Amino acid sequence: MGPSQGSTLTPTTSATAAAADVDIRLLDVLPVYVKELIAGGAAGAFSKTAVAPLERIKILLQTRTEEFKSLGILRSMKKLKQHEGVFGFYKGNGASVLRIVPYAALHFMTYEQYRCLILNNFSSLGTGPFIDLLAGSAAGGTAVLCTYPLDLTRTKLAYQVANNGQFGHGLRRLPPLPYYTGIKDVFWSVYKEGGLRSLYRGVGPTLTGILPYAGLKFYIYEELKSRVPEDYKNSVALRLCCGALAGLFGQTLTYPLDVVRRQMQVQSQQQLNQISAPRITSTMQGISTIIHEQGWRQLFAGLSINYLKVIPSVAIGFTAYDMMKSILGVPPRENTGGASTSASSA
């Protein structure tokens, strides 16, 4: 009876083992940079969806949407839920995730590639966190240039508020903005307005902000991780803390540039022509215009909610990336060397 029981279990056990073996072999076949792309994309999707409601409110505050500019975070969320329901908190999140998956994938993967390139070709720079600063900045710029039109699309969708005519009673009425029905409609409408250049409106302040922000983010995260005792290196809680601090410091230093970018993205040529409003055309001119027309405090509009958003977002992003790399079998840096992998030793 014992042998017969063993024989009945053998096919199932063999099939499971075979499936596991195939999975392991498939992971082994994938190049390291592909694994890093997958890990980065998954990390971006997790982090962005987790903070989507806060991102929507932040955009409405940054762009001085008439109905929200005098409201706080809680009142803004209550007003948005009243007019658009729970799904209103996720308006534009489809475009956001569609953008963040390739953005985060490119950001993390190119960071590893640039880091390896610098270490192998500029050994005089050493191997400290300064390398993370340079690689992170270059990776941030690369990811932005490749995915910027999707960021502009997300902003325009998030900027729209349903039942717009019901708001602003007794206030000066602004000319109506274009209403977009989805991602494809935004792309086509913006492209018709000014060609490919319009799809990159606001990319100047974005690059000006992302280069130091992305660099500082990786620099601070790797520096903090290096100071964690060896026994706690795999602690998820400590990774979350390191990621949260990295996002907090990096975002504070570059936040005004994000405000300029958002206001450039939601500008409508038709509306500007009708109300003779000053057009934001560059980073420094945008900062000057906002201070003169809206007050210096507008450069930090939504900063408090951004703290609430960026801390969990960056923390979840870094932690998910590290965990996905572990699941996918990306070699740890200290165990790799040479130019043959993208995760060469520091």
Side-chain angles (χ1 to χ4, degrees), residues 90-154:
Y90 292 88
K91 179 181 283 186
N93 190 54
S96 184
V97 171
L98 187 62
R99 164 194 166 264
I100 201 64
V101 169
Y103 175 86
L106 284 168
H107 196 175
F108 283 107
M109 186 275 288
T110 55
Y111 159 71
E112 302 284 3
Q113 296 287 338
Y114 284 134
R115 188 176 184 279
C116 177
L117 183 68
I118 294 170
L119 288 172
N120 288 337
N121 295 281
F122 302 94
S123 56
S124 60
L125 294 176
T127 59
F130 180 64
I131 302 301
D132 297 302
L133 180 67
L134 293 178
S137 297
T142 301
V144 162
L145 288 174
C146 291
T147 62
Y148 188 80
L150 288 168
D151 182 53
L152 181 139
T153 301
R154 182 272 304 268

Coordinates of all heavy atoms in Angstrom, one line a residue, residues 90-154:
Y90 N -8.9 58.6 -8.9 CA -8.0 57.8 -9.8 C -8.1 58.3 -11.2 O -7.6 57.7 -12.1 CB -8.4 56.3 -9.7 CG -8.0 55.7 -8.4 CD1 -9.0 55.7 -7.3 CD2 -6.8 55.2 -8.1 CE1 -8.6 55.2 -6.1 CE2 -6.4 54.7 -6.9 CZ -7.4 54.7 -5.9 OH -7.0 54.2 -4.6
K91 N -8.7 59.5 -11.4 CA -8.8 60.0 -12.8 C -7.3 60.4 -13.2 O -6.6 61.0 -12.5 CB -9.6 61.3 -12.9 CG -9.7 61.9 -14.3 CD -10.5 63.2 -14.3 CE -12.0 62.8 -14.3 NZ -12.8 64.1 -14.5
G92 N -7.0 59.9 -14.4 CA -5.6 60.1 -14.9 C -4.6 59.0 -14.4 O -3.5 59.0 -14.9
N93 N -5.1 58.1 -13.5 CA -4.2 57.1 -13.0 C -3.8 56.1 -14.1 O -2.7 55.5 -14.1 CB -4.7 56.4 -11.8 CG -3.7 55.5 -11.1 OD1 -2.7 56.0 -10.7 ND2 -4.0 54.2 -10.9
G94 N -4.7 55.9 -15.0 CA -4.4 54.9 -16.1 C -3.2 55.5 -16.9 O -2.2 54.7 -17.2
A95 N -3.3 56.8 -17.3 CA -2.1 57.4 -18.0 C -0.9 57.4 -17.1 O 0.2 57.3 -17.6 CB -2.5 58.8 -18.4
S96 N -1.1 57.6 -15.8 CA 0.0 57.7 -14.8 C 0.7 56.3 -14.8 O 1.9 56.3 -14.8 CB -0.5 58.0 -13.4 OG 0.5 58.2 -12.6
V97 N -0.1 55.2 -14.7 CA 0.6 53.9 -14.6 C 1.2 53.5 -16.0 O 2.3 53.0 -16.0 CB -0.5 52.8 -14.2 CG1 0.1 51.4 -14.3 CG2 -0.9 53.1 -12.7
L98 N 0.5 53.9 -17.0 CA 1.0 53.7 -18.4 C 2.3 54.4 -18.6 O 3.2 53.9 -19.3 CB 0.0 54.2 -19.4 CG 0.3 53.9 -20.9 CD1 0.3 52.4 -21.1 CD2 -0.7 54.5 -21.8
R99 N 2.5 55.5 -17.9 CA 3.8 56.2 -18.0 C 4.8 55.7 -17.0 O 5.9 55.5 -17.3 CB 3.5 57.7 -17.7 CG 4.8 58.5 -17.4 CD 4.6 59.8 -16.8 NE 5.8 60.4 -16.2 CZ 6.1 60.3 -14.9 NH1 5.3 59.7 -14.1 NH2 7.2 60.9 -14.5
I100 N 4.3 55.4 -15.8 CA 5.3 55.1 -14.7 C 5.9 53.7 -14.9 O 7.1 53.5 -14.5 CB 4.6 55.1 -13.3 CG1 5.7 55.3 -12.2 CG2 3.8 53.9 -13.0 CD1 6.5 56.6 -12.3
V101 N 5.2 52.8 -15.6 CA 5.8 51.5 -15.8 C 7.1 51.6 -16.7 O 8.2 51.1 -16.3 CB 4.8 50.5 -16.4 CG1 5.5 49.2 -16.8 CG2 3.8 50.1 -15.3
P102 N 7.0 52.2 -17.9 CA 8.2 52.3 -18.7 C 9.2 53.3 -18.0 O 10.4 53.2 -18.1 CB 7.7 52.8 -20.0 CG 6.4 53.4 -19.8 CD 5.8 52.6 -18.7
Y103 N 8.6 54.4 -17.4 CA 9.5 55.4 -16.7 C 10.3 54.7 -15.6 O 11.6 54.9 -15.6 CB 8.7 56.5 -16.2 CG 9.5 57.5 -15.4 CD1 10.1 58.6 -16.0 CD2 9.7 57.4 -14.0 CE1 10.9 59.5 -15.3 CE2 10.4 58.3 -13.3 CZ 11.1 59.3 -13.9 OH 11.8 60.2 -13.2
A104 N 9.7 54.0 -14.7 CA 10.4 53.4 -13.6 C 11.3 52.3 -14.1 O 12.4 52.1 -13.6 CB 9.4 52.9 -12.6
A105 N 10.8 51.6 -15.1 CA 11.7 50.5 -15.6 C 13.0 51.1 -16.2 O 14.1 50.6 -15.9 CB 10.9 49.7 -16.7
L106 N 12.8 52.1 -17.0 CA 14.0 52.8 -17.6 C 14.9 53.5 -16.5 O 16.1 53.4 -16.6 CB 13.6 53.8 -18.6 CG 13.1 53.3 -20.0 CD1 12.4 54.4 -20.8 CD2 14.3 52.7 -20.8
H107 N 14.2 54.1 -15.6 CA 14.9 54.8 -14.5 C 15.8 53.9 -13.7 O 17.0 54.1 -13.6 CB 13.9 55.5 -13.6 CG 14.5 56.5 -12.7 ND1 13.7 57.3 -11.9 CD2 15.7 57.0 -12.5 CE1 14.5 58.2 -11.3 NE2 15.7 58.0 -11.6
F108 N 15.3 52.8 -13.2 CA 16.1 51.9 -12.4 C 17.1 51.1 -13.3 O 18.3 51.0 -12.9 CB 15.2 50.8 -11.7 CG 14.5 51.4 -10.5 CD1 13.1 51.7 -10.5 CD2 15.1 51.6 -9.3 CE1 12.4 52.2 -9.4 CE2 14.5 52.2 -8.2 CZ 13.2 52.4 -8.2
M109 N 16.7 50.7 -14.5 CA 17.6 49.9 -15.3 C 18.8 50.8 -15.8 O 19.9 50.4 -15.7 CB 16.9 49.3 -16.5 CG 17.7 48.4 -17.4 SD 18.7 49.2 -18.6 CE 17.4 49.7 -19.8
T110 N 18.5 52.0 -16.3 CA 19.5 52.9 -16.8 C 20.4 53.3 -15.6 O 21.6 53.6 -15.8 CB 19.0 54.1 -17.6 OG1 18.0 54.8 -16.8 CG2 18.3 53.6 -18.9
Y111 N 19.8 53.5 -14.4 CA 20.7 53.8 -13.3 C 21.7 52.7 -13.1 O 22.9 53.1 -12.9 CB 19.8 53.9 -12.0 CG 20.5 53.8 -10.7 CD1 21.4 54.8 -10.3 CD2 20.4 52.6 -10.0 CE1 22.1 54.6 -9.1 CE2 21.1 52.5 -8.8 CZ 21.9 53.5 -8.3 OH 22.6 53.3 -7.2
E112 N 21.3 51.5 -13.1 CA 22.3 50.4 -13.0 C 23.3 50.4 -14.1 O 24.5 50.2 -13.9 CB 21.6 49.0 -12.9 CG 20.6 48.9 -11.8 CD 21.2 48.7 -10.4 OE1 22.4 48.7 -10.3 OE2 20.4 48.5 -9.5
Q113 N 22.9 50.7 -15.3 CA 23.8 50.7 -16.5 C 24.7 51.8 -16.4 O 25.9 51.7 -16.7 CB 22.9 50.8 -17.8 CG 22.0 49.6 -18.0 CD 22.8 48.3 -18.5 OE1 23.9 48.4 -18.9 NE2 22.2 47.2 -18.3
Y114 N 24.2 53.0 -16.1 CA 25.1 54.2 -16.0 C 26.1 54.0 -14.8 O 27.3 54.4 -15.0 CB 24.3 55.5 -15.7 CG 23.6 56.0 -17.0 CD1 22.2 56.4 -16.9 CD2 24.2 56.1 -18.2 CE1 21.6 56.9 -18.0 CE2 23.6 56.6 -19.3 CZ 22.3 57.0 -19.2 OH 21.6 57.5 -20.3
R115 N 25.7 53.4 -13.8 CA 26.5 53.2 -12.6 C 27.7 52.3 -13.0 O 28.9 52.5 -12.7 CB 25.7 52.6 -11.5 CG 26.5 52.5 -10.2 CD 25.6 52.0 -9.1 NE 26.3 52.0 -7.8 CZ 27.1 51.0 -7.4 NH1 27.3 50.0 -8.2 NH2 27.7 51.1 -6.2
C116 N 27.3 51.2 -13.7 CA 28.4 50.3 -14.2 C 29.3 51.0 -15.2 O 30.5 50.8 -15.1 CB 27.7 49.1 -14.9 SG 28.8 47.9 -15.6
L117 N 28.8 51.8 -16.1 CA 29.6 52.5 -17.1 C 30.6 53.4 -16.4 O 31.8 53.5 -16.7 CB 28.7 53.3 -18.0 CG 29.3 54.1 -19.1 CD1 29.9 53.1 -20.2 CD2 28.3 55.0 -19.8
I118 N 30.1 54.2 -15.4 CA 31.0 55.1 -14.7 C 32.1 54.4 -13.9 O 33.3 54.8 -14.0 CB 30.2 56.0 -13.7 CG1 29.2 56.9 -14.5 CG2 31.1 56.8 -12.8 CD1 28.2 57.6 -13.6
L119 N 31.7 53.3 -13.2 CA 32.7 52.6 -12.5 C 33.8 51.9 -13.3 O 34.9 51.9 -13.0 CB 32.0 51.5 -11.7 CG 31.2 51.9 -10.4 CD1 30.4 50.7 -9.9 CD2 32.0 52.5 -9.4
N120 N 33.4 51.5 -14.5 CA 34.3 50.8 -15.4 C 35.2 51.7 -16.2 O 36.3 51.4 -16.7 CB 33.6 49.9 -16.4 CG 33.0 48.6 -15.7 OD1 33.5 48.3 -14.6 ND2 32.0 48.1 -16.2
N121 N 34.7 53.0 -16.5 CA 35.4 53.9 -17.3 C 36.0 55.1 -16.6 O 36.8 55.8 -17.2 CB 34.5 54.3 -18.5 CG 34.1 53.2 -19.4 OD1 34.9 52.8 -20.2 ND2 32.9 52.6 -19.2
F122 N 35.5 55.4 -15.4 CA 36.0 56.6 -14.7 C 36.3 56.2 -13.3 O 35.7 56.7 -12.3 CB 34.9 57.7 -14.7 CG 34.5 58.1 -16.1 CD1 33.3 57.5 -16.7 CD2 35.2 59.1 -16.8 CE1 33.0 57.9 -18.0 CE2 34.8 59.5 -18.1 CZ 33.7 58.9 -18.7
S123 N 37.3 55.3 -13.2 CA 37.6 54.7 -11.9 C 38.2 55.8 -10.9 O 38.2 55.6 -9.7 CB 38.7 53.6 -12.0 OG 39.8 54.1 -12.8
S124 N 38.7 56.9 -11.5 CA 39.2 58.0 -10.7 C 38.2 58.6 -9.8 O 38.5 59.3 -8.8 CB 39.9 59.0 -11.6 OG 39.0 59.6 -12.4
L125 N 36.9 58.5 -10.1 CA 35.8 59.0 -9.3 C 35.6 58.3 -8.1 O 34.8 58.7 -7.2 CB 34.5 59.1 -10.2 CG 34.6 60.1 -11.4 CD1 33.3 60.0 -12.2 CD2 34.8 61.5 -10.9
G126 N 36.2 57.1 -7.9 CA 35.9 56.3 -6.8 C 34.7 55.4 -6.9 O 34.1 55.2 -7.9
T127 N 34.3 54.9 -5.7 CA 33.1 54.0 -5.7 C 32.1 54.4 -4.7 O 31.2 53.6 -4.3 CB 33.6 52.6 -5.4 OG1 34.2 52.5 -4.1 CG2 34.5 52.0 -6.5
G128 N 32.1 55.6 -4.2 CA 31.2 56.0 -3.1 C 29.8 56.5 -3.7 O 29.5 56.3 -4.9
P129 N 29.0 57.0 -2.8 CA 27.6 57.5 -3.2 C 27.6 58.5 -4.3 O 26.6 58.7 -4.9 CB 27.1 58.0 -1.8 CG 27.9 57.3 -0.8 CD 29.2 57.2 -1.3
F130 N 28.7 59.2 -4.5 CA 28.8 60.2 -5.5 C 28.5 59.6 -6.9 O 27.9 60.2 -7.8 CB 30.2 60.9 -5.6 CG 30.3 61.9 -6.7 CD1 29.5 63.1 -6.6 CD2 31.2 61.7 -7.7 CE1 29.6 64.0 -7.7 CE2 31.3 62.7 -8.7 CZ 30.5 63.8 -8.7
I131 N 28.9 58.3 -7.1 CA 28.6 57.6 -8.3 C 27.0 57.4 -8.4 O 26.5 57.5 -9.5 CB 29.3 56.2 -8.3 CG1 30.8 56.4 -8.1 CG2 28.9 55.4 -9.6 CD1 31.4 57.2 -9.2
D132 N 26.4 57.1 -7.3 CA 24.9 57.0 -7.3 C 24.3 58.3 -7.7 O 23.2 58.3 -8.4 CB 24.4 56.5 -6.0 CG 24.9 55.2 -5.6 OD1 24.7 54.2 -6.4 OD2 25.6 55.0 -4.5
L133 N 24.8 59.4 -7.3 CA 24.3 60.8 -7.6 C 24.4 61.0 -9.1 O 23.4 61.4 -9.8 CB 25.1 61.8 -6.9 CG 24.7 63.3 -7.1 CD1 23.3 63.6 -6.6 CD2 25.7 64.3 -6.5
L134 N 25.5 60.7 -9.7 CA 25.7 60.9 -11.2 C 24.8 59.9 -12.0 O 24.2 60.3 -12.9 CB 27.2 60.7 -11.5 CG 28.2 61.7 -11.0 CD1 29.6 61.3 -11.4 CD2 27.9 63.1 -11.5
A135 N 24.9 58.7 -11.6 CA 24.1 57.7 -12.3 C 22.6 57.9 -12.2 O 21.8 57.8 -13.2 CB 24.4 56.3 -11.8
G136 N 22.2 58.3 -11.0 CA 20.7 58.6 -10.8 C 20.3 59.8 -11.6 O 19.2 59.8 -12.2
S137 N 21.1 60.8 -11.7 CA 20.7 62.0 -12.4 C 20.6 61.7 -13.9 O 19.6 62.1 -14.6 CB 21.8 63.1 -12.2 OG 21.8 63.5 -10.9
A138 N 21.6 61.0 -14.5 CA 21.6 60.6 -15.9 C 20.4 59.7 -16.2 O 19.7 59.8 -17.2 CB 22.9 59.9 -16.3
A139 N 20.1 58.8 -15.3 CA 18.9 57.9 -15.5 C 17.6 58.6 -15.4 O 16.7 58.3 -16.2 CB 19.0 56.8 -14.4
G140 N 17.5 59.6 -14.5 CA 16.3 60.4 -14.4 C 16.0 61.1 -15.7 O 14.9 61.2 -16.2
G141 N 17.1 61.8 -16.3 CA 16.9 62.5 -17.5 C 16.5 61.6 -18.7 O 15.7 61.9 -19.5
T142 N 17.1 60.4 -18.8 CA 16.8 59.5 -19.8 C 15.4 59.0 -19.8 O 14.6 59.0 -20.8 CB 17.7 58.2 -19.7 OG1 19.1 58.6 -19.8 CG2 17.4 57.2 -20.8
A143 N 14.9 58.7 -18.6 CA 13.5 58.2 -18.4 C 12.5 59.3 -18.7 O 11.5 59.0 -19.3 CB 13.3 57.7 -16.9
V144 N 12.8 60.5 -18.3 CA 11.9 61.7 -18.6 C 11.7 61.9 -20.1 O 10.6 62.0 -20.6 CB 12.4 63.0 -17.9 CG1 11.7 64.2 -18.5 CG2 12.1 62.9 -16.4
L145 N 12.8 61.9 -20.8 CA 12.8 62.2 -22.2 C 12.0 61.1 -23.0 O 11.3 61.4 -24.0 CB 14.2 62.3 -22.8 CG 15.0 63.6 -22.4 CD1 16.4 63.5 -22.9 CD2 14.3 64.8 -23.0
C146 N 12.1 59.9 -22.5 CA 11.4 58.8 -23.2 C 9.9 58.7 -22.9 O 9.2 58.1 -23.7 CB 12.1 57.5 -22.8 SG 13.8 57.2 -23.5
T147 N 9.5 59.2 -21.8 CA 8.1 59.0 -21.4 C 7.3 60.3 -21.1 O 6.2 60.3 -20.6 CB 8.1 58.2 -20.1 OG1 8.7 58.9 -19.0 CG2 8.7 56.8 -20.3
Y148 N 7.9 61.5 -21.4 CA 7.3 62.8 -21.0 C 5.9 63.0 -21.5 O 5.0 63.5 -20.8 CB 8.2 63.9 -21.4 CG 7.7 65.2 -20.8 CD1 7.9 65.6 -19.5 CD2 6.9 66.1 -21.6 CE1 7.4 66.8 -19.0 CE2 6.4 67.3 -21.1 CZ 6.6 67.6 -19.8 OH 6.1 68.8 -19.2
P149 N 5.6 62.7 -22.8 CA 4.2 62.9 -23.3 C 3.2 62.2 -22.5 O 2.0 62.7 -22.3 CB 4.3 62.3 -24.7 CG 5.7 62.5 -25.2 CD 6.5 62.2 -23.9
L150 N 3.5 61.1 -21.9 CA 2.5 60.4 -21.0 C 2.3 61.1 -19.7 O 1.2 61.1 -19.1 CB 3.0 58.9 -20.7 CG 2.9 58.0 -21.9 CD1 3.6 56.7 -21.6 CD2 1.4 57.7 -22.2
D151 N 3.4 61.8 -19.2 CA 3.2 62.6 -18.0 C 2.3 63.8 -18.3 O 1.5 64.2 -17.5 CB 4.6 63.1 -17.5 CG 4.5 63.9 -16.2 OD1 3.9 63.4 -15.3 OD2 5.0 65.0 -16.2
L152 N 2.5 64.4 -19.4 CA 1.7 65.6 -19.8 C 0.2 65.1 -19.9 O -0.7 65.8 -19.5 CB 2.2 66.2 -21.1 CG 1.4 67.4 -21.6 CD1 2.4 68.4 -22.2 CD2 0.4 67.0 -22.7
T153 N 0.0 64.0 -20.5 CA -1.4 63.4 -20.7 C -2.0 63.2 -19.3 O -3.2 63.5 -19.1 CB -1.3 62.1 -21.4 OG1 -0.7 62.3 -22.7 CG2 -2.7 61.5 -21.6
R154 N -1.3 62.6 -18.4 CA -1.8 62.3 -17.0 C -2.2 63.6 -16.3 O -3.2 63.7 -15.7 CB -0.7 61.6 -16.2 CG -1.1 61.2 -14.8 CD -0.8 62.3 -13.8 NE 0.5 62.8 -13.8 CZ 1.5 62.2 -13.0 NH1 1.2 61.3 -12.2 NH2 2.7 62.7 -13.1

